[in-house]
Amino acid sequence: MKVFKVKTPKIGATRYPDIIKKARAVYHEIEKRTKRRPYIRSAHFKKEKIFFDYFWEHSDQASFIDRRCRLKFLPCAIEFIEKSRFAPSSQPNPRRNGEMLHRFTGCTPDSELFYVQIKEDLKTKQKFLMSIFPE
């Protein structure tokens, strides 16, 4: 599997209030681009939209420490989705028929590995950013 190296550094804060503030600022920049649902365009999926519908719900389900660790990688993941053309490891969702899970591998400028998971609804062909997590 190929690893795409991003140029954007991860959020450097250590306290959760600082991390969430910076992560929300990054998200609000994306949110300002459209009047409807926030999205980014993916280079791998031929510039199709990747929506954020489930991302914040999914991150809120994680433990506090895990959430803090995952949100640090949000700017890296956004650049990764927008620029990477590397193929993911894809598999059908074991919990739900009609969905495909795509897992991409990225690397920060500090050489830390992280994964970006995107869920695809096979019926509607919509794609959703599910989670970002370190190795």
Side-chain angles (χ1 to χ4, degrees), residues 108-121:
T108 65
D110 303 338
S111 299
E112 281 187 74
L113 282 179
F114 67 94
Y115 299 98
V116 177
Q117 188 160 320
I118 294 176
K119 177 177 82 169
E120 178 182 7
D121 186 347

Side-chain angles (χ1 to χ4, degrees), residues 117-134:
Q117 188 160 320
I118 294 176
K119 177 177 82 169
E120 178 182 7
D121 186 347
L122 297 175
K123 187 184 258 186
T124 63
K125 299 295 183 193
Q126 289 187 337
K127 294 164 185 65
F128 304 94
L129 175 64
M130 288 300 291
S131 65
I132 307 158
F133 50 95

Side-chain angles (χ1 to χ4, degrees), residues 22 36 38 42 46 56 64 78 86 102 105-106 123 128:
K22 290 179 182 178
R36 294 182 180 92
S42 170
K46 300 175 186 160
W56 293 107
F64 179 75
I78 290 170
F86 293 159
H102 306 282
T105 306
K123 187 184 258 186
F128 304 94

Side-chain angles (χ1 to χ4, degrees), residues 87-106:
S89 61
S90 301
Q91 63 182 20
N93 190 348
R95 296 184 183 149
R96 204 176 262 172
N97 290 336
E99 290 182 350
M100 184 71 79
L101 297 175
H102 306 282
R103 185 174 288 177
F104 296 89
T105 306

Side-chain angles (χ1 to χ4, degrees), residues 15-90:
R15 293 179 49 236
Y16 181 73
D18 298 334
I19 293 169
I20 192 73
K21 185 176 180 181
K22 290 179 182 178
R24 287 285 182 182
V26 169
Y27 177 70
H28 287 305
E29 287 299 315
I30 294 168
E31 213 173 24
K32 286 180 194 176
R33 297 181 201 164
T34 181
K35 293 179 182 178
R36 294 182 180 92
R37 293 170 29 196
Y39 66 89
I40 52 179
R41 294 206 178 258
S42 170
H44 173 72
F45 294 113
K46 300 175 186 160
K47 296 294 181 184
E48 290 181 17
K49 295 176 182 178
I50 308 292
F51 295 102
F52 284 84
D53 293 0
Y54 301 119
F55 175 72
W56 293 107
E57 292 174 25
H58 187 76
S59 67
D60 287 342
Q61 292 173 358
S63 69
F64 179 75
I65 296 168
D66 197 27
R67 188 177 335 142
R68 182 178 68 191
C69 189
R70 290 174 182 218
L71 287 177
K72 284 184 173 187
F73 289 95
L74 183 62
C76 300
I78 290 170
E79 179 190 346
F80 179 87
I81 292 169
E82 289 177 338
K83 296 183 178 178
S84 172
R85 294 188 183 274
F86 293 159
S89 61
S90 301

